[in-house]
Structure formats: structure tokens, C-alpha cells
Amino acid sequence: VSATPLSTYPVILATVPVIPPPSQVEGVVLSGSGTSLTVSWTAVTDQMYMILYVVSYSTDRGIKTGMKRSGITDTSTTLTELEPNTTYYVWVAAEILGAGVQGPYSMIVLRDD
């Protein structure tokens, strides 16, 4: 049995494009009262890719402990079934559809009825 040296095979180099994360969402505004709250923001426009938004909210400062809505295509969403007279922490981030690349979360926004 004869072995073929590896040097006889062609070497193919491929580059995978690096997709930069979207910018931080700005212009976050809250409106509403009682048990529902509408969150709106300014669209992220620094990407040539389709942008979706992620909204997380919680009664605790810990972002990972709250509720999360993802795949939002509009620049607003309504959070329902909230507890009245409660402070909510709300975060909004942009993500690139299908790439798994997410930008930084917006600053914390508070609501206290």
C-alpha cells in the first residue's frame, strides 16, 4: 500500500464574512398605565441585513430573570398583564435575522405607577 503525501492535494482557503453587531437601540419611550405598557424605539439603520428586535422586561434589575419577546419586526410592542403599582425594568436590543448577532441592550427604562 502506497500513501499519497498531503502536499499533493490542493489547499482551499475560504473566508467567512464577519457580521458586525447592530448598534444600540436608541430613543426608547414608554407609554401606558395600569396593566399594559407600550415600548417604542427608533429603528436601527446601520445594517444592510434584516433587523429584528428583542424586548426583555422584569420587576428585577437582572435581565435574565424576566420575560423576553424576540422576533419583533416593528419599532414598538405592547407588554400586557403587568402588575399595577410595580416598577418594571425594560431593555431593547437589535439582532440580525438568521445570523445570531445581537447588539447591546438599551439603557434600563423604569416604570412605576
Side-chain angles (χ1 to χ4, degrees):
V1 173
S2 158
T4 304
L6 289 177
S7 61
T8 61
Y9 293 103
V11 176
I12 299 172
L13 298 176
T15 58
V16 176
V18 176
I19 299 173
S23 297
Q24 186 171 12
V25 173
E26 296 181 352
V28 178
V29 177
L30 300 177
S31 60
S33 61
T35 60
S36 69
L37 177 66
T38 298
V39 185
S40 58
W41 54 89
T42 304
V44 171
T45 59
D46 67 341
Q47 289 288 327
M48 61 184 211
Y49 305 100
M50 171 94 177
I51 296 290
L52 300 177
Y53 297 95
V54 177
V55 175
S56 296
Y57 58 102
S58 176
T59 56
D60 185 346
R61 287 185 98 97
I63 197 165
K64 298 200 185 309
T65 63
M67 302 297 292
K68 187 176 190 177
R69 289 190 180 182
S70 56
I72 301 168
T73 57
D74 201 359
T75 55
S76 69
T77 190
T78 300
L79 310 177
T80 58
E81 299 181 22
L82 303 176
E83 294 294 324
N85 303 313
T86 304
T87 298
Y88 282 89
Y89 302 87
V90 180
W91 299 266
V92 182
E95 66 181 3
I96 297 173
L97 174 66
V101 178
Q102 182 174 309
Y105 276 95
S106 65
M107 295 178 64
I108 297 172
V109 180
L110 306 173
R111 170 199 181 224
D112 192 6
D113 273 343

